[in-house]
Amino acid sequence: MAESWVNSAERIGADLHLELSGAEAGGRRAALIRALREAVRSRRLAPGTLLPPYRSLAADLGVARNTVADAYAELVAEGWLTARQGSGTRVAERAEPSGSRSRVPKKTPPHARGPRHDLRQGTPDASSFPRAAWLASYRRALQQAPNEVFGPGDPAGRRELRGALAEYLARARGVRAEPERIVICSGFAHALRLLFAGPGAVLRGPLAVESYGLGFHRELLAAASVRTVPLSLDEDGARVGELDRERAVLLTPAHQFPTGGPLHPSRRAAVVDWARARGGVILEDDYDGEFRYDRRPVGALQGLDPERVVHIGSVSKSLSPALRLGWMVLPERYVEGVLAAKGEREAWVSVLDQLALADFVASGSYDRHVRRMRQRYRGRRDRLVATLAARAPHVEVTGIAAGLHAVLRLPPGTEPSVVKAAAWQGVALDGLAAFRHPQAPASAPDGLVVGYATPAEHAYGAALDALGEVLPPG
């Protein structure tokens, strides 16, 4: 009895998709050679790829074993493949035979090479991800997970994670929350989509926003037909007294992004009073609230009125943006609408990652990691300030000692040239103007937004030296 394709594939090799077109012209051997040659030339088979054994590929294609052996031998002779006893047949590292490539050297465009020093904001030190502790939490979560975890996910998020977050946010951020009011999402952008997008949007514009913020968020809101109205900023944060007929306001009260100041206590109280009087809602982006270096972190605005504030957080700054894990702590009246917007099944966030994060928080590993990174980033900021004091004392670091970035105040009119010079020298950073709302006043200070958390520890000193080279003279 002939072996089925399924049984043979499971026993003797990996799958390789080839179409033997034109087999009648020259036979199956020639067609197989053409198909393999084209797969290598097009890089569908990358250099070093291990090809299936003769018997396996012959069974899959319905050809004789000798046909495959002869095709492999010819392509080895031509330089497309390599064969070594005990190592099988692989795609040659050159990927094309000698003489088939143009000998004209190709220059890699500057943007393809990437920056030599990355000082862009928004990203934690990737080399500091707590791999061992995360792996331990993931292993425990996987071992203890009930069978129903591997079915469709609850759109609200796993109860284990919502419970762990309710405890942590109350303890560390002063958030007043029950697990039933927490909805898991993939991050702040996802939260905005759930709140504003679609015909059944939970919230509608116009939405007041701070005059400096992420353009990506403004574009997302514009795509949902939400008009944003900028609030001006001063040393006390957003001027919430400018709020008028808006239905909602988006703030970064713990650490204004990107200018770096906190919302003054009197303005915190004032914006809550506005929400109560107008029936409005405050969206609190608590993007790096744990990272305050000059004093204990300020508690979340949500604690002043849980029924008027949507508290939004994530692990993008504290752990890694690669995890795609965030949360909303919602007023009771919005929970049902957000869950309806999310759908009947979890479609965004891995349930296993949720369970791992729940264990990571409950075991104390999250607290330990945040405390460790708080010390490291404080040291990074101190080194930045010291470097500027020594090499560019005319460049001021503004804002509070917090977060993963700092704003450097530049002499008037120098921002565009400094950003251009930095790019030319391979230093990736952003000018302050890139974050200004299009309708905000253009007469704003010149500055740089420097992400001191982004480089790995061993690369940070060289990045600061390179930054010093591009700053304007005093």
Side-chain angles (χ1 to χ4, degrees):
M1 178 177 172
E3 250 183 338
S4 73
W5 181 86
V6 172
N7 289 334
S8 63
E10 287 179 344
R11 281 200 301 110
I12 57 177
D15 290 344
L16 173 59
H17 176 74
L18 294 172
E19 293 187 4
L20 305 188
S21 57
E24 65 283 353
R28 293 190 167 225
R29 174 181 171 278
L32 177 55
I33 290 172
R34 286 195 299 270
L36 285 168
R37 191 184 289 132
E38 181 55 34
V40 175
R41 182 186 289 120
S42 66
R43 295 296 176 117
R44 190 164 66 81
L45 290 179
T49 299
L50 178 65
L51 297 184
Y54 303 154
R55 178 187 173 193
S56 174
L57 187 58
D60 289 349
L61 298 177
V63 300
R65 180 178 179 277
N66 287 342
T67 299
V68 177
D70 291 346
Y72 278 10
E74 181 161 333
L75 291 172
V76 167
E78 292 178 0
W80 295 94
L81 306 178
T82 61
R84 188 172 299 174
Q85 185 69 31
S87 297
T89 304
R90 296 179 181 271
V91 176
E93 290 298 329
R94 290 185 57 112
E96 291 185 18
S98 177
S100 64
R101 289 185 179 180
S102 168
R103 289 183 171 81
V104 178
K106 296 180 180 179
K107 292 184 177 181
T108 304
H111 68 272
R113 291 195 296 267
R116 292 187 297 119
H117 306 288
D118 193 349
L119 291 172
R120 286 171 290 197
Q121 61 75 35
T123 306
D125 178 3
S127 66
S128 297
F129 184 82
R131 299 182 189 219
W134 181 259
L135 180 61
S137 286
Y138 206 100
R139 183 180 292 112
R140 282 193 298 268
L142 191 60
Q143 289 173 339
Q144 298 169 10
N147 291 336
E148 51 94 10
V149 160
F150 301 96
D154 183 346
R158 288 296 304 182
R159 174 79 188 196
E160 297 91 334
L161 178 56
R162 290 185 286 123
L165 286 173
E167 186 278 331
Y168 171 79
L169 293 172
R171 170 171 52 80
R173 301 296 301 124
V175 171
R176 294 155 60 187
E178 299 81 36
E180 292 75 20
R181 295 196 183 190
I182 297 177
V183 174
I184 303 303
C185 57
S186 67
F188 186 79
H190 186 204
L192 285 184
R193 291 188 179 97
L194 291 173
L195 290 168
F196 287 99
V202 178
L203 300 177
R204 299 188 182 279
L207 171 68
V209 298
E210 295 159 332
S211 58
Y212 282 80
L214 281 175
F216 168 66
H217 292 160
R218 292 193 294 268
E219 293 166 3
L220 187 155
L221 291 163
S225 301
V226 176
R227 182 170 65 89
T228 56
V229 180
L231 300 175
S232 56
L233 297 167
D234 60 20
E235 63 275 7
D236 291 329
R239 291 176 172 170
V240 297
E242 297 175 359
L243 287 166
D244 187 18
R245 298 177 180 273
E246 295 80 18
R247 300 178 180 181
V249 57
L250 170 58
L251 300 172
T252 51
H255 185 217
Q256 201 287 319
F257 180 85
T259 60
L263 189 63
H264 192 275
S266 64
R267 293 188 181 177
R268 285 177 162 237
V271 73
V272 170
D273 289 342
W274 166 85
R276 290 169 176 168
R278 290 280 302 167
V281 63
I282 305 161
L283 307 183
E284 178 181 25
D285 182 1
D286 199 36
Y287 68 101
D288 64 359
E290 298 100 335
F291 295 109
R292 182 82 184 253
Y293 313 129
D294 57 346
R295 50 160 292 170
R296 290 181 62 84
V298 176
L301 179 65
Q302 189 264 6
L304 296 180
D305 193 336
E307 292 304 324
R308 293 295 170 189
V309 180
V310 176
H311 178 86
I312 306 172
S314 78
V315 299
S316 293
K317 305 296 185 293
S318 57
L319 279 172
S320 168
L323 289 178
R324 309 309 305 148
L325 280 168
W327 52 85
M328 287 184 281
V329 182
L330 295 160
E332 186 176 6
R333 66 187 182 279
Y334 296 140
V335 173
E336 185 177 344
V338 168
L339 291 179
K342 200 174 182 189
E344 294 183 3
R345 297 182 177 185
E346 175 58 68
W348 290 80
V349 184
S350 164
V351 173
L352 294 179
D353 285 348
Q354 291 183 51
L355 291 175
L357 180 59
D359 182 274
F360 198 73
V361 172
S363 67
S365 295
Y366 188 71
D367 283 272
R368 289 189 290 272
H369 175 72
V370 167
R371 287 196 298 270
R372 182 170 62 252
M373 299 314 297
R374 191 182 291 142
Q375 291 297 318
R376 178 169 298 182
Y377 294 150
R378 177 177 182 170
R380 294 276 189 99
R381 190 180 190 278
D382 289 347
R383 288 177 65 184
L384 171 63
V385 172
T387 297
L388 293 174
R391 302 185 61 169
H394 57 288
V395 176
E396 177 189 3
V397 179
T398 64
I400 59 175
L404 280 65
H405 74 275
V407 173
L408 312 189
R409 186 69 55 84
L410 297 177
T414 62
E415 179 183 321
S417 61
V418 173
V419 172
K420 185 176 181 180
W424 183 259
Q425 295 297 327
V427 180
L429 45 72
D430 297 298
L432 185 58
F435 301 93
R436 189 170 61 238
H437 192 288
Q439 296 173 16
S443 56
D446 284 44
L448 299 177
V449 180
V450 175
Y452 49 76
T454 306
E457 191 69 22
H458 72 274
Y460 187 55
L464 288 183
D465 290 340
L467 174 64
E469 294 294 330
V470 301
L471 293 175

